[in-house]
Amino acid sequence: MSALFTLSDLHFAYGPERPVLTGASLTLAPGERLALVGDNGAGKSTLLALMVGLLKPQGGTIAAFGRDRRTEADFAEIRPRAGFVFQDPDDQLFCPTVAEDVAFGPLNLGAGKAEARAVVAETLAMLDLTDFGPRVTHHLSGGEKRLVSLAAVLAMKPEVLLLDEPTNALDARHRARLIEILRGLPQAMVIVSHDAAFLDALATRRLRLEDGRLQAIT
Amino acid sequence: MTDTRPGQRALRTFAAGPSTGLRRVDARMRIIAAAAFAVAVVSLTSVSSLLAALAAGFGLAAWARLPAAETARRVVAVDGFIVLTLVMLPFTTPGEPLFSLWGFPASREGLHHAVLIALKANAVILALLALVGTVPETVLGHALARLKVPEKLVQLFLMTVRYIDVLHQEATRLRTAMKARGFRPRTDLHTLRSLGWLVGMLLVRSLERSERVLAAMKCRGFTGRFPLLDDLRATPADWVFLAGAVAACASLVTADRLA
């Protein structure tokens, strides 16, 4: 099968004095769980943002799901297929209740209310969060917020997951839970993390982002 | 799970009670009833009918099982806003002098006015706390949307509820960090400058957060529409409540006209 994502020679800078990527390339194959490591500020989150078009590269090409992607319309189409789980769940969970937040993606993708409720029930059950539907998002604990934000992304049935520091601020119990859930998912993943043990449990391949380029770690 | 963070307490005291009595009534009916009551009470002119309205306010508060101390604190807070007007009215309204203070005569008409305003304000605030103050924030948003309040206002309200606590925590963290380095507010330039930076930092962080929230929304296919999923369903009992509330308001107004 062909690659889900192919990034070639990406260049990106936040300004002339702050180059972040200077020729980064990677491919993501189906079923892979690709770990992305690197120092703070190396550009790992920037790379994820580029993959779903939240930022636009100044050079290089991005191909996703078999096509070159350039315009906002191209990326709007791939965002539901490449689910981005943000570093801070508070950025992601903006709806009043858990059910509404999980339904937000499906409703945007054109699902009816009944259909969206079915997807919510199914997704929450899959993550063992069945009773969470009516809970108010800002009353959840940090670990619960993380799991719900994952549910909100999974509700769109993405083919790829982009995880930005998923173990940030998680206690041991929720961290173990997250590992178990992610191991059971069929999606290809790009995981940005500093948590070595977490990556040991999940990653099938590792890349280090250094000086704006990606190198394989063997 | 109970939440004991300080920002939460103020927001949730009233809505957190058990769902009994008045609290079981559909939120939309309660909002309409509160609005009808406020309009009726403002139109009343006699002290006797206003006393009846105030009694109704207390009755609603008891029915909703409002915590007495916290309710009193909020009512006093509202009275604080109008106390100056109330005190000034007898001295500024021309009419039959009743007594004088430091040579300023107080008029009977002015005193009458002040009593009416005080009764109206307290009757309405009690009813509002009992009827609307007990609705959980998110349900209030849903109910307002169903009552055809413009979508943008409802979203503004719900987003505020969602992020006010996040902001509060950010402010608390910054304050704690300042304290940890020996900052104590004084009346000097250093204090003013530090507080200015605190506010500036909060603004910058909020702006950055709003950008991240929008990015996260775009990642989930946001196109400008906010779908709401609510479970509001009016039962016959809710309609009976609304009919009773409207009838009570109408009889208050009628009794006032006849008096």
Side-chain angles (χ1 to χ4, degrees), chain A residues 4 20 41 47 54 62 67 77 90 95 105 115 134 137 140 145-146 165 169 174-175 182 191:
Chain A
L4 294 167
V20 180
L47 190 73
L54 293 172
I62 298 172
R67 272 186 46 202
E77 191 213 321
D90 273 326
C95 294
E115 197 185 331
T137 45
L140 301 175
K145 278 183 188 166
R146 169 64 67 196
E165 301 276 3
H174 282 102
R175 187 169 162 283
L182 291 178
I191 308 170

Side-chain angles (χ1 to χ4, degrees), chain A residues 41-59:
Chain A
K44 305 182 295 296
S45 300
T46 304
L47 190 73
L48 293 187
L50 285 166
M51 289 174 79
V52 290
L54 293 172
L55 297 169
K56 295 289 182 323
Q58 280 120 22

Side-chain angles (χ1 to χ4, degrees), chain A:
Chain A
M1 249 174 100
S2 60
L4 294 167
F5 269 93
T6 307
L7 314 183
S8 316
D9 195 29
L10 287 185
H11 284 73
F12 184 84
Y14 284 104
E17 71 288 349
R18 267 193 72 196
V20 180
L21 302 177
T22 55
S25 304
L26 74 77
T27 56
L28 179 71
E32 264 195 308
R33 291 196 288 257
L34 179 60
L36 208 56
V37 300
D39 296 336
N40 288 332
K44 305 182 295 296
S45 300
T46 304
L47 190 73
L48 293 187
L50 285 166
M51 289 174 79
V52 290
L54 293 172
L55 297 169
K56 295 289 182 323
Q58 280 120 22
T61 57
I62 298 172
F65 308 110
R67 272 186 46 202
D68 269 6
R69 308 287 174 169
R70 284 170 211 287
T71 63
E72 177 64 20
D74 288 342
F75 284 109
E77 191 213 321
I78 71 167
R79 278 174 202 143
R81 301 172 66 184
F84 194 150
V85 181
F86 278 61
Q87 193 173 129
D88 182 351
D90 273 326
D91 292 341
Q92 197 153 4
L93 304 176
F94 69 94
C95 294
T97 64
V98 169
E100 276 170 317
D101 219 289
V102 177
F104 181 74
L107 287 171
N108 285 332
L109 300 181
K113 285 203 172 180
E115 197 185 331
R117 278 181 199 272
V119 173
V120 171
E122 180 194 329
T123 312
L124 291 179
M126 189 169 82
L127 299 190
D128 236 349
L129 299 171
T130 303
D131 300 330
F132 275 59
R135 296 270 298 269
V136 173
T137 45
H138 67 270
H139 296 163
L140 301 175
S141 76
E144 292 167 340
K145 278 183 188 166
R146 169 64 67 196
L147 292 181
V148 170
S149 65
L150 180 62
V153 167
L154 287 176
M156 296 188 298
K157 308 202 186 305
E159 294 154 61
V160 174
L161 281 177
L162 307 176
L163 303 156
D164 195 356
E165 301 276 3
T167 55
N168 234 6
L170 280 194
D171 58 32
R173 190 166 58 90
H174 282 102
R175 187 169 162 283
R177 203 69 200 276
L178 185 67
I179 292 175
E180 187 194 331
I181 290 168
L182 291 178
R183 284 183 75 102
L185 290 173
Q187 278 92 347
M189 298 173 195
V190 178
I191 308 170
V192 167
S193 182
H194 292 292
D195 182 340
F198 179 75
L199 293 178
D200 285 342
L202 286 167
T204 57
R205 186 158 71 92
R206 291 166 199 242
L207 292 175
R208 170 177 292 280
L209 183 55
E210 206 166 33
D211 300 327
R213 290 157 189 270
L214 288 159
Q215 284 129 23
I217 303 176
T218 45

Side-chain angles (χ1 to χ4, degrees), chain B residues 79-102:
Chain B
D79 286 342
F81 276 111
I82 56 171
V83 70
L84 198 66
T85 321
L86 295 184
V87 172
M88 295 297 286
L89 262 177
F91 299 99
T92 52
T93 313
E96 182 193 336
L98 199 63
F99 62 92
S100 75
L101 193 66
W102 298 312

Side-chain angles (χ1 to χ4, degrees), chain B:
Chain B
M1 194 193 80
T2 53
D3 199 328
T4 51
R5 282 169 294 171
Q8 294 298 317
R9 212 178 50 220
L11 261 176
R12 290 203 295 152
T13 332
F14 282 8
S19 187
T20 55
L22 184 58
R23 290 166 189 252
R24 270 216 305 266
V25 176
D26 187 286
R28 287 166 294 174
M29 306 302 178
R30 278 146 75 184
I31 294 170
I32 298 172
F37 185 76
V39 171
V41 167
V42 168
S43 78
L44 300 181
T45 51
S46 76
V47 174
S48 57
S49 49
L50 276 170
L51 282 173
L54 187 65
F58 274 110
L60 286 168
W63 192 11
R65 308 247 174 112
L66 293 187
E70 178 63 18
T71 306
R73 207 179 60 76
R74 294 192 187 196
V75 171
V76 167
V78 173
D79 286 342
F81 276 111
I82 56 171
V83 70
L84 198 66
T85 321
L86 295 184
V87 172
M88 295 297 286
L89 262 177
F91 299 99
T92 52
T93 313
E96 182 193 336
L98 199 63
F99 62 92
S100 75
L101 193 66
W102 298 312
F104 293 102
S107 69
R108 177 182 295 280
E109 286 78 357
L111 190 66
H112 182 69
H113 257 308
V115 168
L116 289 186
I117 291 176
L119 286 173
K120 283 179 187 183
N122 285 294
V124 171
I125 198 68
L126 275 172
L128 204 59
L129 287 176
L131 288 165
V132 182
T134 48
V135 180
E137 322 76 281
T138 52
V139 178
L140 185 59
H142 290 154
L144 290 173
R146 288 282 207 99
L147 291 172
K148 301 275 177 259
V149 169
E151 196 186 8
K152 286 223 161 55
L153 291 181
V154 173
Q155 281 307 328
L156 210 54
F157 172 74
L158 287 173
M159 286 270 194
T160 307
V161 167
R162 170 66 183 84
Y163 283 105
I164 202 163
D165 182 50
V166 173
L167 266 179
H168 178 84
Q169 281 178 46
E170 233 151 42
T172 313
R173 270 201 301 276
L174 288 172
R175 284 302 294 265
T176 315
M178 287 168 83
K179 259 191 220 153
R181 286 189 287 160
F183 175 75
R184 225 177 284 128
R186 286 184 300 258
T187 41
D188 58 10
L189 204 59
H190 170 69
T191 301
L192 282 179
R193 200 164 32 221
S194 305
L195 289 177
W197 282 334
L198 174 73
V199 172
M201 186 56 78
L202 272 180
L203 282 175
V204 171
R205 287 193 182 192
S206 309
L207 186 68
E208 285 179 354
R209 182 175 293 281
S210 70
E211 280 167 0
R212 291 197 304 271
V213 172
L214 180 62
M217 288 163 73
K218 272 163 97 181
C219 280
R220 289 197 281 153
F222 176 65
T223 49
R225 297 250 333 135
F226 290 96
L228 289 174
L229 283 181
D230 59 47
D231 302 307
L232 292 171
R233 205 165 289 123
T235 63
D238 294 326
W239 287 105
V240 170
F241 168 83
L242 186 64
V246 171
C249 291
S251 51
L252 262 180
V253 174
T254 314
D256 188 64
R257 293 286 175 276
L258 297 177

